[in-house]
């Protein structure tokens, strides 16, 4: 150590800091400006603080500054091994005075950092250095050390002689595991074991020795495109050394052990590059390069390791497809099509199943007629030549083609070009059927020629004999059966009338097909197109012969006439329209234009249908008379005729039919009156005088003969009805008539006095306040009147029992019971029952809920018109 006056750094730094410093807090900075340009080593004696390369002092742990401050020092060492110490004093801000100059406190501990070599062989324990405190001048002290390497992992590495302060090391140390130790020394008074000085951090640096060979890190596989330019960077080999960084122990040199003709490596960065521009994937796709890494800058005494780097060359399209033969040959029978005639193999050195390898074939010469097509077999990359149109031996015995093979992508990195190869195809002769000299034979004929007219000839030739001998002709298609084919000669004659206007004719043409058969039963087919010329065989025809003329009051309307002719010009338009004479001169033709004209009346025409004879002729004067039925009527908004009046529609017979219907209806009414006035047969119903409180079945539909012909008479003053003395009886001889009157009266009394009937007391008896003594005894009433009154009361009960609300169980109705018993005072409720001396109609109040089912049935019947 050197503590000379001319050191490059200041001797002391005093800084005021907060009481608590967080990690990362910048304490101060050591000024290194006067220390030259070489590398400097900066270390702190206190592990709580770190010193960066630029001299910045930074706190690394949470630190609490004591009230009397903190002290540590910074060691600065240059590349020559000379060291300087910088004292750092940290003062709690509270203690800082206004004085800008602070006095330096006297150092009481003065041990510099100690160092030991790693992997020291001993013998152990080995003395290191001695520590001492200034307090030993005044006190008898002993020393104690604590921390990592002492009582913490790795414990037992260091010890101190308490009386002398001599530090000792007890074991071998691996710097790569423990690059330094920082523990604390304490000084105690031997008399009272009190600390005589502040604790002192002790730093022990482990000096590195070159005991670790460099090792490869990262991938060792690289790729580069073939034919890449020289000096193209392929990749970088990475290596590391566990020894101390920035020392010769970790200075690595890279060396290639093979492949130096193709590759090179930077000795200090490990970057691999191409040493040539002729790297060829087709020659070698992968290259394995041996690499040595040695520390100590590659010195012979340095430690080293070796590894293998793999360089893979990626493909480019530098090889065109090449044909296996210099000339190709093939054979094909004539008249064949849609068959493969040749497989063309090629070789491509580029990577299989890539665009650089896949071949595309073209026929560059000889296929002007489009007879051939070539494809690529995706599995083998061969070219497949197909015949798509048949060849004719009689016309061409040999076909010469030229085929070129290329790739899907252009060539790069080579001066080669796409290859071509000649291909000779020989056509083989086969026995063929007859052939028509022309694929389509065109014949012309006028329509409507007589049957049997010769329209042309359709002959075939045998390609082998070049003549038409021994060939028979047959008709294959003839949609209208208009043509006959003469089998021995091939002549075509008309079999039926040929009509140009027929729907079988398209664009004035009519097609048939003819088959020719030679003596070897070989066949050939020809097409005959017959061009049909038009003749004037159609008259112009009016398209709408029944027009409507709308009546317009005093004005006269008109109707348009439109005609059409199926013939072509000059046998059709323009047309001429004229009214055929003699006529009544009520109509005239105006405004003739081409195919249309206007028909107008000469005077106002009444509604009706008028038939007008009109002659329509074409340009050649050919036409005929036609009848136009003009309907004159009142029109609706859409132009149609409005409906006629009913009187006009019905006519005489319609009125007679209506009168006959009214007569039949009158007879039907008379028949109904006669049927309703006929007296019905009376049915008597026995009364056993005992009903057991139940309603009895009865088939009685009207009062019996025992019912008196009497009914209540309604006085003019409705109030008199309340007095029973004013109610009288009226006798009638006609029972049915009197009964109907009584029913009418009873129903009226029920409707007008319903509240009176519903007025009941708690004893179940009908009140007599409203009616007086009119119903004190039923014996004063006739049997018919009693039956009618019972019916009214029953109707009222039926309505009441059909209600769903709970209030229908009124207080005057008995609750449900398990057994009704016998001897009910009500007796029978039949229409013909003998009331005897019954005093009231209380029995109607004792029917109870069980009467509901019967009420539903009876109510349903009542709705149909009966109880």
């Amino acid at each position: 150590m050197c503590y000379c006056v001319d050191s490059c750094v200041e001797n002391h730094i005093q800084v005021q800091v907060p009481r608590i410093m967080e990690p990362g807090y910048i304490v101060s900075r050591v000024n290194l400006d006067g220390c030259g340009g070489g590398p400097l080593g900066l270390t702190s004696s206190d592990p709580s603080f770190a010193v960066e390369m630029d001299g910045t002092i930074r706190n690394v742990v949470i630190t609490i500054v004591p009230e009397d401050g903190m002290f540590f020092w910074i060691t600065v060492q240059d590349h020559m091994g000379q060291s300087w110490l910088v004292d750092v004093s940290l003062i709690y801000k509270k203690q800082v005075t206004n004085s800008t100059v602070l006095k330096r406190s006297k150092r009481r501990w003065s041990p510099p950092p100690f160092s030991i070599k790693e992997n020291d062989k001993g013998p152990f324990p080995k003395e290191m250095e001695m520590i001492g405190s200034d307090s030993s001048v005044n006190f008898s002290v002993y020393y104690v050390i604590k921390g990592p390497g002492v009582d913490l992992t790795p414990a037992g590495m260091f010890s101190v002689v308490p009386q002398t302060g001599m530090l000792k090391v007890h074991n071998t140390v691996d710097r790569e595991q423990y690059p330094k130790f920082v523990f604390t020394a304490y000084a105690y008074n031997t008399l009272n074991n009190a600390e005589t000085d502040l604790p002192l951090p002790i730093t022990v640096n482990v000096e590195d020795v070159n005991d670790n060979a460099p090792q490869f890190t990262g991938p060792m596989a690289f790729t580069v495109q073939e034919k890449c330019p020289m000096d193209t960077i392929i990749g970088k080999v990475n290596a590391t050394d566990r020894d101390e960084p920035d020392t010769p122990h970790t200075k690595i040199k890279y060396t290639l052990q093979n492949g130096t003709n193709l590759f090179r490596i930077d000795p200090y960065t490990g970057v691999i590059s191409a040493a040539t521009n002729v790297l060829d994937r087709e020659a070698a796709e992968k290259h394995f390069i041996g690499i040595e890494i040695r520390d100590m800058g590659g010195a012979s005494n340095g430690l080293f390791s070796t590894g293998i780097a793999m360089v893979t060359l990626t493909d480019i399209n530098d090889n065109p497809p090449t044909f296996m033969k210099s000339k190709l040959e093939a054979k094909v029978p004539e008249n064949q099509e849609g068959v493969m005639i040749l497989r063309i193999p090629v070789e491509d050195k580029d990577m299989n199943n890539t665009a650089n390898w896949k071949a595309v074939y073209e026929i560059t010469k000889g296929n002007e007629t489009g007879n051939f097509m070539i494809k690529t077999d995706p599995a083998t990359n061969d070219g497949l030549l197909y015949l798509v149109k048949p060849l004719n031996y009689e016309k061409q015995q040999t076909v010469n083609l030229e085929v070129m093979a290329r790739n899907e992508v252009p060539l790069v990195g080579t001066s080669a070009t796409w290859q071509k190869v000649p291909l000779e195809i020989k056509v083989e002769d086969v026995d063929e059927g007859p052939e028509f000299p022309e694929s389509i034979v065109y014949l012309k004929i006028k329509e409507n020629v007589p049957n049997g007219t010769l329209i042309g000839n359709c002959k075939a030739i045998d390609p082998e004999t070049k003549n038409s001998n021994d060939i028979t002709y047959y008709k294959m298609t003839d949609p209208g059966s208009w043509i006959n084919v003469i089998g021995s000669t091939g002549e075509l004659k008309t079999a039926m009338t040929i009509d140009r206007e027929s729907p079988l004719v398209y664009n004035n043409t009519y097609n048939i097909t003819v088959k020719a058969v030679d003596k070897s039963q070989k066949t050939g087919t020809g097409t005959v197109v017959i061009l049909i010329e038009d003749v004037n065989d159609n008259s112009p025809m009016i398209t709408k012969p029944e027009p409507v003329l709308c009546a317009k009051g005093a004005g006269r309307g008109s109707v348009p006439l439109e005609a059409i002719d199926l013939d072509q010009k000059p046998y059709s338009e323009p047309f001429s329209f004229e009214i055929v004479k003699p006529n009544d001169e009520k109509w005239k033709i105006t405004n003739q234009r081409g195919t249309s004209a206007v028909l107008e009346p000469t005077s106002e025409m009444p509604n009706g249908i008028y038939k007008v004879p009109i002659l329509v002729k074409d340009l050649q004067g050919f036409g005929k008379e036609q009848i136009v039925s003009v309907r004159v009527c009142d029109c609706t908004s859409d132009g149609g005729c409005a409906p006629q009046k009913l009187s006009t529609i019905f006519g005489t017979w319609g009125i007679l039919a209506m009168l006959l219907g009214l007569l039949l209806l009158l007879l039907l009414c008379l028949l109904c009156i006669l049927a309703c006035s006929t007296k019905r047969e009376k049915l008597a119903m026995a009364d056993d005088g005992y009903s057991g409180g139940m309603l009895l079945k009865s088939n009685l539909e009207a009062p019996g003969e025992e019912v008196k012909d009497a009914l209540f008479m309604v006085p003019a003053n409705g109030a008199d009805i309340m007095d029973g003395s004013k109610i009288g009886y009226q006798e009638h001889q006609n029972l049915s008539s009197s009964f109907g009157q009584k029913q009418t009266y009873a129903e009226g009394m029920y409707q007008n006095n319903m509240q009176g009937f519903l007025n009941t007391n708690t004893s179940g008896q009908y009140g007599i306040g409203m009616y007086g003594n009119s119903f004190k005894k039923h014996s004063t009433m006739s049997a018919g009147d009693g039956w009618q009154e019972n019916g009214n009361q029953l109707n009222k009960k039926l309505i009441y029992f059909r209600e769903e609300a709970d209030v229908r169980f009124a207080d005057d109705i008995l609750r449900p019971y398990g057994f009704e018993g016998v001897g009910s005072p009500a007796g029978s409720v039949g229409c013909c029952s003998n009331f005897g001396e019954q005093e009231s109609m209380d029995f109607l109040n004792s029917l109870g809920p069980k009467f509901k089912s019967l009420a539903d049935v009876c109510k349903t019947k009542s709705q149909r018109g009966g109880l």
Side-chain angles (χ1 to χ4, degrees), residues 532-693:
I532 304 174
E533 296 180 356
D534 188 28
V535 297
N536 195 11
D537 59 342
N538 292 278
S539 301
M541 299 299 296
I542 297 176
T543 57
K544 294 182 179 181
E546 297 181 356
V548 174
L549 176 61
C550 295
K552 299 182 179 179
R556 299 191 305 272
S558 63
V559 292
L561 299 178
E562 185 76 25
I564 188 173
D565 195 329
L566 298 178
D567 293 327
Q568 293 180 327
K569 291 183 178 181
Y571 304 123
S572 59
E573 57 182 282
F575 303 141
S576 63
F577 297 81
E578 60 182 89
I579 299 177
V580 178
K581 296 183 179 181
N583 61 74
D584 52 6
E585 296 184 353
K586 293 182 178 180
W587 303 90
K588 64 179 179 180
I589 299 293
T590 63
N591 200 20
Q592 297 192 39
R593 294 181 180 178
T595 61
S596 63
V598 176
L599 178 63
E600 294 182 359
T602 58
S603 62
E604 184 177 353
M605 307 292 291
N607 290 357
I609 298 176
Y610 300 88
K611 297 185 180 296
V612 182
I614 298 178
L615 176 62
V616 186
K617 294 185 291 186
D618 60 17
L619 183 61
Q620 305 300 325
F622 181 68
K624 64 179 180 179
E625 180 181 330
Q626 303 175 53
I627 301 298
V628 177
S629 298
V630 181
R631 180 183 293 272
V632 180
C633 62
D634 296 328
C635 295
T636 60
S637 60
D638 58 356
C641 289
Q644 299 181 9
K645 295 181 180 181
L646 291 176
S647 60
T648 305
I649 296 174
F650 277 100
T652 305
W653 290 105
I655 296 174
L656 291 177
M658 292 178 62
L659 293 176
L660 180 60
L662 292 175
L663 181 59
L664 292 176
L665 181 60
L666 180 59
L667 292 176
L668 180 60
C669 293
L670 293 177
L671 180 61
C672 291
I673 294 173
L674 179 61
C676 292
S677 62
T678 304
K679 184 176 181 179
R680 299 179 183 177
E681 182 182 359
K682 307 300 189 297
L683 296 178
M685 182 174 181
D687 184 6
D688 55 3
Y690 179 74
S691 63

